[in-house]
Amino acid sequence: MSKALPVPAKRHLPSKEATLFKELLTLYETRQLKKGLRTADQILKKFPEHGETICMKGLLLTHMGRREEGIDFVKKGVKLDLTSHIVWHVFGLIQKGEKNYEEALKSYTQALRFDKENLNILRDAAQLQTQLRLFDALVETRHTLLKIRPSLRQHWIALAVAYHLNGNLSEARKTLEHYERTLKNVADYDIEHSETLLYHVRILEEMEDYSEALSLLDVNSKSRAIVDRTAIMECRARLLSKLKSDEAEHAWRALIEHNPDCYDYYRGYFSNQGLSLENSSQEALDILRQFSSQLSKATAPRRLALTIATGDEFRDLAKSYLLSGLTKGIPSLFVDVKSLYTNASKRDVIEELAEAARVEFTPSSDTPSSSAEDTDPTIYLWTLYFLAQHHSYLGRPKKALETITIALEHTPTLPEVHTCKARILKRAGDLLGAAKSVNDARLLDGQDRFLNTKCAKYLLRAGCVEEASNMLGLFTKKDAVSPGADLEDMQSLLYLMEEADAHYRNGKPNLALKKYHAIQKAFTIIEDDQYDFHGYNLRKFTLNIYMKLVKWEDQLRSHPAHVKAALSASRIYIKIHDDPSIATAITSSPQLTGAEKKAKKKAKKAAQKVQEEPKKGPTPSANEDKGLEPVQPKDDDPEGLKLIGVSDPLEQAFKLLQPLTTLVTDNIDVWTVVYDVAIRRKKYLQALQALNHARALNVEHPEVHVRSMHFRQTIDTLPEEPPAPIGPLLKEVAQKVVTEGLSILTFNGQYLQRHISEPLAVLAAAKVAHGLKEPVQEVEQVVFGVLGEGTQLDIPTALKVLEFLTEIKSGRVEEFRSVCNKQFEISTVFKPLTELEVLQKRTLSGEEEEKEEDISPA
């Protein structure tokens, strides 16, 4: 047995001061901060170099809001007593408060060297190890905690979870079995014990020991040890299916009767029967018919039947389903059935049935049917609403607008009809008209938060950032600096993304970067927020949901909002690298317009208000605990000028893209942007790896084609070949990108011929031609191929073509804009800038006039 380390002379305190130090620890734990500070000062008067007391004083000061002073005291205390577990524990607490988890864990490890059995330090260390996903070390720490306190149930469960996270299911199982054998006199309906048993079943299921899992589930459900009846039914059905038991069918049927509108239960039932709900099957259809007759109020079996039915059977089922939805006035009916539109014949049948319903329910028909006279007039309205969405989805904006106009004449007071018109106009390219329509819907119910948010979203898409901010201000906190600041605090990803995109379209990449980074910050906060749950879920025994949380957090950065923000910000950084004048023009204090001056003045006043509020507010109590987390620093870059003026834009882009390369491997956009950054950083192997990933996903993708040709051209024109083995490898791969014996130009021409009817592919071929320094006239000729017969040019692609023509300083920009303006008649995005400004003023002035009638929320 190792001998305890002797207490250093400078740490030793006389009896009186030792008692005071114990009191100091108690005062800290009870958060009596001011009294604790006086006690610390009392000890330091006689022993000014007592490291532990100095550290505790620093900790108290940090909690009182005197952060910098407190951290200085903690660092001083650590230097004075490097062998004390208390000073290292305190230092770890400070670092943990700063979210510096790696350094905090190092401090805890140091503390444990001098006090190996300190429960508080071991628990904190275990949470940090879980946060950092150091599962080997976590198992060791949890083992130590169990040895010290084996009578604590939580320690047994925590060790099992640690083994599970580390992938050692057999040890997790043994731990749980040992724990369950130690239990005595467990009360019925004990929720914590129930959760533990369900977790045990989960472990056995993951180990593929289905018989044992089923036996454990049945025994404990009969004895009322497991109380979650739905979880029991789900687990039992799943296990019986995996065991291929005859009882599985009954188990799934019981679940369907328990919740007849849960699609997962139907999928489980049919999977157990060896049937698919994706492909046509008469047997599956007959079973769904049985379910529909037995469960008359359930919509799930009737909707699933539409997926697998064909021919006349589909027509009969679809007619019944559509008429039921239209009669009930279900606004989401079209959203429900539009997934069937991938099948052209089903799409045509649905259109035919909807048009027939329109004729049948038209109240002003010359020869009205008896059913039309007796039916509710709103059925006609919902039929028009459905058809308008149908035509808009199929790219028929004129027909959709005609239909929705009739619906508006029929019932002008239904918000859904106005929002539908807005959606039609948005798809047709009239963003200002869409914003006006959704504002008309909002004015019908000023207290509807959804309509308010929708209106702000459409204003942002129309480029009206300030007007959208004012709109959102109707529902945000009145004492917030600005509506945007409040929504950023609430981590509203919808708002942040839409405003960032709006700023970028308005030619303000600095403000766009600011919002994209705000999205990144929101995800970082979500990652940090999981820390407390590592302890909370074990205390509450909510183990199954905790395992889902850990898995979800590991995939957090694959969230679509994070991916889009990272890619958009990276593209801005790439543009800044390619053309530093973009950043220079923004950061060189240009002359502001009247509106911009007004906005800047407003922001300045808001900032002053924030600074003055603490002075006006009540004096905080001396014992007020401000926590260990640093105070949110004042935003010293509200305009994003520092972000856009960085000296290393490619490095910033590389940091943003790093998580995506492991979490979003099936996204071509990720790999093309990673390639763009790597090739500019002259990291040719990284660029090659990204290109190979993209080509493996789709070698014919337009953006992949552009990068493939660029890679070949870049390697061929290197002034000096990289040293072996990198140089020869790059040469070899670059040669394989283009068919042997062909030049890049010829290969690009062949690619264009293969995809002549695809506008994005035509644009890609034009980009390659421009990269090969082909004459501008020839590049323009290729680009205008998107207007040829047989090509399905849409508005987003047309805008990309317009942007490309502007970038290469083509003389035919206005010609292309004019052609698109004629082709997309409803759209306003191709209007000349002067005409667009007039339209915007007219739309916004219309809104100002209507503000008097607006009903503000209570």
Side-chain angles (χ1 to χ4, degrees):
M1 203 172 162
S2 59
K3 292 182 180 179
L5 292 170
V7 177
K10 60 182 178 182
R11 192 191 305 162
H12 181 74
L13 291 172
S15 176
K16 182 183 175 184
E17 281 70 24
T19 305
L20 283 172
F21 186 75
K22 287 179 183 176
E23 185 185 340
L24 171 60
L25 295 174
T26 305
L27 290 169
Y28 169 72
E29 287 171 3
T30 55
R31 295 297 188 268
Q32 297 181 54
L33 305 178
K34 191 174 181 182
K35 196 172 180 183
L37 194 59
R38 285 201 299 267
T39 306
D41 286 335
Q42 200 174 339
I43 298 170
L44 292 173
K45 276 182 185 178
K46 292 186 179 180
F47 300 94
E49 292 194 353
H50 189 252
E52 292 179 344
T53 305
I54 292 171
C55 276
M56 287 304 300
K57 180 178 179 179
L59 189 60
L60 289 163
L61 289 169
T62 307
H63 274 279
M64 293 170 76
R66 294 155 65 179
R67 185 170 190 80
E68 290 181 10
E69 186 184 353
I71 290 173
D72 287 341
F73 270 101
V74 171
K75 289 179 178 177
K76 181 182 176 184
V78 172
K79 287 176 184 175
L80 287 170
D81 195 348
L82 291 169
T83 60
S84 165
H85 73 277
I86 290 177
V87 301
W88 286 111
H89 191 185
V90 170
F91 197 36
L93 288 170
I94 296 290
Q95 290 165 323
K96 187 178 72 176
E98 293 175 342
K99 315 295 185 190
N100 192 351
Y101 300 119
E102 290 89 350
E103 291 302 316
L105 184 56
K106 288 178 186 176
S107 296
Y108 282 122
T109 305
Q110 279 292 99
L112 289 169
R113 283 180 59 199
F114 309 114
D115 188 359
K116 292 181 172 59
E117 297 188 352
N118 188 303
L119 286 173
N120 288 330
I121 299 175
L122 283 165
R123 283 197 199 101
D124 281 354
Q127 284 188 236
L128 286 167
Q129 286 159 350
T130 313
Q131 181 78 4
L132 296 169
R133 305 299 190 259
L134 302 173
F135 296 134
D136 286 332
L138 174 66
V139 169
E140 208 174 304
T141 305
R142 292 297 186 191
H143 228 290
T144 306
L145 280 164
L146 182 59
K147 284 179 184 176
I148 297 169
R149 192 75 67 82
S151 59
L152 202 61
R153 288 198 303 168
Q154 185 184 320
H155 288 173
W156 287 95
I157 301 304
L159 179 59
V161 169
Y163 277 129
H164 189 181
L165 290 171
N166 201 34
N168 193 341
L169 294 173
S170 59
E171 287 298 324
R173 175 183 181 174
K174 287 177 187 175
T175 305
L176 287 170
E177 287 172 349
H178 194 93
Y179 159 73
E180 286 163 15
R181 283 197 296 270
T182 63
L183 296 175
K184 293 177 183 177
N185 303 322
V186 179
D188 287 347
Y189 302 106
D190 184 323
I191 301 295
E192 293 180 357
H193 184 54
S194 170
E195 284 291 318
T196 307
L197 289 169
L198 281 171
Y199 179 62
H200 192 170
V201 171
R202 174 183 177 149
I203 294 283
L204 293 169
E205 186 177 355
E206 288 186 19
M207 292 178 71
E208 299 183 1
D209 191 349
Y210 305 130
S211 299
E212 184 66 27
L214 184 61
S215 173
L216 181 68
L217 183 71
D218 285 345
V219 167
N220 287 288
S221 58
K222 287 172 185 173
S223 65
R224 299 180 181 179
I226 300 178
V227 297
D228 188 338
R229 308 309 301 173
T230 303
I232 291 169
M233 293 170 74
E234 288 176 349
C235 281
R236 198 163 188 281
R238 202 166 55 241
L239 291 167
L240 287 168
S241 288
K242 288 175 179 177
L243 287 167
K244 302 191 184 307
S245 169
D246 295 336
E247 295 179 50
E249 182 182 351
H250 175 72
W252 284 112
R253 276 188 177 273
L255 271 173
I256 289 170
E257 289 168 10
H258 178 68
N259 183 357
D261 278 315
C262 179
Y263 283 75
D264 287 338
Y265 294 165
Y266 290 96
R267 292 190 187 99
Y269 178 87
F270 283 98
S271 175
N272 179 68
Q273 299 290 95
L275 299 170
S276 171
L277 283 172
E278 302 301 323
N279 304 318
S280 179
S281 166
Q282 189 60 46
E283 187 182 349
L285 190 57
D286 291 340
I287 295 170
L288 285 170
R289 284 181 187 275
Q290 289 174 18
F291 278 127
S292 297
S293 60
Q294 291 168 9
L295 308 165
S296 56
K297 292 185 178 180
T299 59
R302 295 191 293 123
R303 173 61 187 83
L304 288 168
L306 295 179
T307 305
I308 57 178
T310 55
D312 292 337
E313 281 185 314
F314 174 78
R315 179 182 291 275
D316 294 340
L317 291 169
K319 183 176 181 180
S320 169
Y321 192 81
L322 288 175
L323 288 176
S324 173
L326 294 172
T327 306
K328 292 176 182 175
I330 300 173
S332 60
L333 180 61
F334 176 76
V335 177
D336 183 17
V337 301
K338 72 178 180 182
S339 59
L340 298 169
Y341 283 32
T342 52
N343 185 315
S345 61
K346 290 185 178 182
R347 182 184 65 214
D348 294 341
V349 169
I350 289 172
E351 181 172 347
E352 190 182 322
L353 291 169
E355 289 290 358
R358 177 183 182 174
V359 172
E360 182 182 350
F361 297 121
T362 302
S364 58
S365 174
D366 294 334
T367 55
S369 63
S370 58
S371 62
E373 294 174 349
D374 300 334
T375 53
D376 185 342
T378 59
I379 301 175
Y380 175 63
L381 173 66
W382 290 114
T383 305
L384 292 171
Y385 180 73
F386 179 91
L387 278 167
Q389 293 178 90
H390 167 84
H391 292 309
S392 175
Y393 184 76
L394 295 178
R396 306 169 188 163
K398 284 186 178 178
K399 205 163 185 179
L401 278 173
E402 287 171 9
T403 308
I404 205 67
T405 302
I406 297 169
L408 280 167
E409 289 170 358
H410 182 279
T411 308
T413 55
L414 186 67
E416 282 86 350
V417 181
H418 290 278
T419 56
C420 180
K421 182 181 179 182
R423 201 176 303 114
I424 294 165
L425 290 170
K426 178 199 73 175
R427 286 178 180 164
D430 184 5
L431 300 177
L432 290 167
K436 185 179 184 308
S437 290
V438 81
N439 189 55
D440 291 341
R442 182 188 69 85
L443 291 170
L444 292 171
D445 187 354
Q447 296 187 357
D448 191 316
R449 189 187 292 264
F450 167 77
L451 292 174
N452 174 271
T453 307
K454 199 77 171 173
C455 185
K457 177 182 173 182
Y458 273 59
L459 283 169
L460 286 170
R461 289 189 174 177
C464 309
V465 177
E466 191 175 345
E467 290 76 11
S469 180
N470 293 336
M471 190 72 66
L472 290 165
L474 295 172
F475 281 90
T476 53
K477 289 180 183 175
K478 300 305 174 189
D479 57 348
V481 177
S482 66
D486 185 36
L487 289 167
E488 189 173 327
D489 286 343
M490 292 194 292
Q491 299 172 348
S492 173
L493 299 179
L494 167 71
Y495 157 74
L496 291 170
M497 187 65 72
E498 291 293 345
E499 181 161 337
D501 292 344
H503 282 310
Y504 184 72
R505 289 190 296 268
N506 289 347
K508 296 178 180 177
N510 53 318
L511 293 173
L513 263 183
K514 187 76 180 169
K515 294 300 176 186
Y516 288 135
H517 275 278
I519 293 170
Q520 298 286 322
K521 180 183 169 187
F523 280 91
T524 302
I525 292 170
I526 293 169
E527 270 183 345
D528 290 335
D529 285 347
Q530 71 175 298
Y531 179 85
D532 292 328
F533 286 93
H534 299 315
Y536 173 84
N537 287 92
L538 292 175
R539 289 197 303 275
K540 296 294 183 182
F541 287 79
T542 52
L543 307 174
N544 288 298
I545 199 69
Y546 172 65
M547 296 306 294
K548 289 181 183 177
L549 168 72
V550 172
K551 188 177 179 182
W552 180 80
E553 288 281 359
D554 287 342
Q555 299 295 317
L556 177 65
R557 300 273 175 177
S558 65
H559 189 282
H562 178 268
V563 174
K564 186 182 176 186
L567 292 178
S568 300
S570 298
R571 289 187 182 113
I572 293 173
Y573 281 128
I574 290 167
K575 284 194 172 186
I576 295 167
H577 172 267
D578 293 347
D579 185 6
S581 64
I582 295 172
T584 308
I586 293 169
T587 54
S588 59
S589 301
Q591 292 295 317
L592 298 174
T593 64
E596 287 172 334
K597 283 179 182 176
K598 187 179 175 184
K600 197 168 183 181
K601 191 176 179 182
K602 190 177 177 183
K604 192 175 178 182
K605 280 184 178 178
Q608 285 175 347
K609 182 184 173 185
V610 172
Q611 290 176 354
E612 288 169 7
E613 275 179 359
K615 297 174 187 176
K616 293 178 184 177
T619 307
S621 165
N623 269 326
E624 184 185 350
D625 185 1
K626 297 184 179 177
L628 288 173
E629 293 187 15
V631 179
Q632 193 72 18
K634 182 189 170 187
D635 186 2
D636 60 349
D637 186 27
E639 299 293 316
L641 300 179
K642 289 183 180 178
L643 284 173
I644 204 160
V646 291
S647 57
D648 55 347
L650 292 181
E651 294 301 321
Q652 298 301 320
F654 176 73
K655 288 177 188 174
L656 291 172
L657 295 169
Q658 197 63 22
L660 306 187
T661 56
T662 54
L663 294 173
V664 200
T665 55
D666 58 348
N667 188 325
I668 283 181
D669 290 337
V670 169
W671 294 115
T672 54
V673 177
V674 168
Y675 169 86
D676 291 341
V677 171
I679 205 77
R680 287 165 173 79
R681 294 174 71 222
K682 301 193 183 334
K683 304 289 185 183
Y684 298 116
L685 280 179
Q686 283 182 13
L688 173 59
Q689 186 183 28
L691 184 61
N692 284 338
H693 275 291
R695 286 172 67 84
L697 291 170
N698 185 358
V699 73
E700 292 290 303
H701 190 281
E703 292 300 318
V704 176
H705 173 69
V706 173
R707 269 66 178 189
S708 298
M709 299 303 100
H710 182 266
F711 183 74
R712 169 68 184 268
Q713 187 185 2
T714 303
I715 300 303
D716 286 351
T717 56
L718 281 176
E720 186 178 338
E721 185 177 314
I726 298 171
L729 174 66
L730 292 174
K731 282 278 185 188
E732 182 186 347
V733 175
Q735 293 298 322
K736 289 179 181 177
V737 166
V738 176
T739 306
E740 191 175 349
L742 296 179
S743 66
I744 301 175
L745 192 60
T746 307
F747 186 82
N748 187 50
Q750 291 180 352
Y751 176 82
L752 179 60
Q753 291 305 313
R754 288 198 303 274
H755 304 281
I756 194 68
S757 62
E758 300 170 27
L760 283 172
V762 174
L763 177 59
K767 286 180 179 179
V768 172
H770 179 66
L772 294 170
K773 311 294 184 192
E774 289 295 295
V776 176
Q777 293 80 4
E778 290 187 19
V779 176
E780 289 171 342
Q781 188 176 351
V782 174
V783 169
F784 272 74
V786 301
L787 299 171
E789 290 184 17
T791 56
Q792 297 293 320
L793 182 65
D794 56 23
I795 291 172
T797 307
L799 288 171
K800 288 179 182 177
V801 173
L802 194 62
E803 184 183 0
F804 173 68
L805 288 170
T806 307
E807 282 177 5
I808 65 173
K809 298 178 180 176
S810 167
R812 301 178 68 183
V813 172
E814 291 306 318
E815 180 188 345
F816 184 81
R817 190 195 299 275
S818 177
V819 173
C820 288
N821 195 27
K822 289 178 182 175
Q823 185 167 334
F824 304 105
E825 295 176 31
I826 300 170
S827 173
T828 58
V829 292
F830 299 105
K831 302 280 183 195
L833 191 60
T834 51
E835 193 176 334
L836 203 58
E837 287 175 355
V838 172
L839 281 170
Q840 190 171 359
K841 284 178 183 176
R842 192 183 301 161
T843 302
L844 296 176
S845 63
E847 286 180 13
E848 290 295 325
E849 289 170 10
E850 289 163 337
K851 271 187 182 178
E852 294 176 7
E853 302 171 19
D854 188 9
I855 305 168
S856 297

